[in-house]
Amino acid sequence: QVQLVESGGGLVQPGGSLRLSCAASGTIFGIATMGWYRQAPGKEREMVAVITGGGSTDYGDSVKGRFTISRDNVKNTVYLQMNSLKAEDTAVYYCNALRYDQSSWGQGTQVTVSS
């Protein structure tokens, strides 16, 4: 089983930046894609960014050009650098890891963009 622990959320002003981290532990061998998803109040969970073990990335349309996902396979950690944050980026951000046919989720970290 994979355990995921997110950190780095908080309150930031519009136009600011935050960096989220997600550390994986437990049965980490075989983890393929890792990613970030978010869920705002009253909305469905949506994909923010994903990255494969080989480093291929994909982004949600609303964050392209502003967010960057990266991965440290030695530290088993995935990062999300968020720049030019907007009020509409406010949400709980969840880390995800896909290991064979098993999907694991972190507990989530709140990101609030407000002046």
Side-chain angles (χ1 to χ4, degrees):
Q1 193 169 2
V2 177
Q3 290 82 45
L4 301 171
V5 178
E6 302 107 332
S7 61
L11 173 65
V12 63
Q13 292 186 344
S17 298
L18 277 177
R19 189 193 194 205
L20 304 183
S21 299
C22 172
S25 61
T27 308
I28 59 175
F29 177 81
I31 291 179
T33 301
M34 297 187 72
W36 291 93
Y37 293 72
R38 68 186 182 187
Q39 188 165 19
K43 295 187 177 181
E44 293 186 355
R45 190 172 297 190
E46 64 174 351
M47 187 271 284
V48 176
V50 294
I51 184 168
T52 67
S56 297
T57 59
D58 192 19
Y59 295 90
D61 288 341
S62 63
V63 307
K64 286 180 180 177
R66 301 188 297 123
F67 291 11
T68 302
I69 190 170
S70 60
R71 180 172 175 172
D72 186 330
N73 290 325
V74 174
K75 295 182 178 180
N76 301 307
T77 300
V78 63
Y79 305 95
L80 184 68
Q81 178 66 42
M82 305 185 293
N83 298 328
S84 302
L85 282 161
K86 306 174 182 180
E88 50 263 44
D89 294 318
T90 296
V92 178
Y93 284 69
Y94 296 92
C95 180
N96 176 267
L98 185 63
R99 179 179 180 273
Y100 302 115
D101 62 346
Q102 190 170 45
S103 182
S104 300
W105 294 92
Q107 79 287 354
T109 185
Q110 177 70 46
V111 171
T112 302
V113 184
S114 175
S115 56

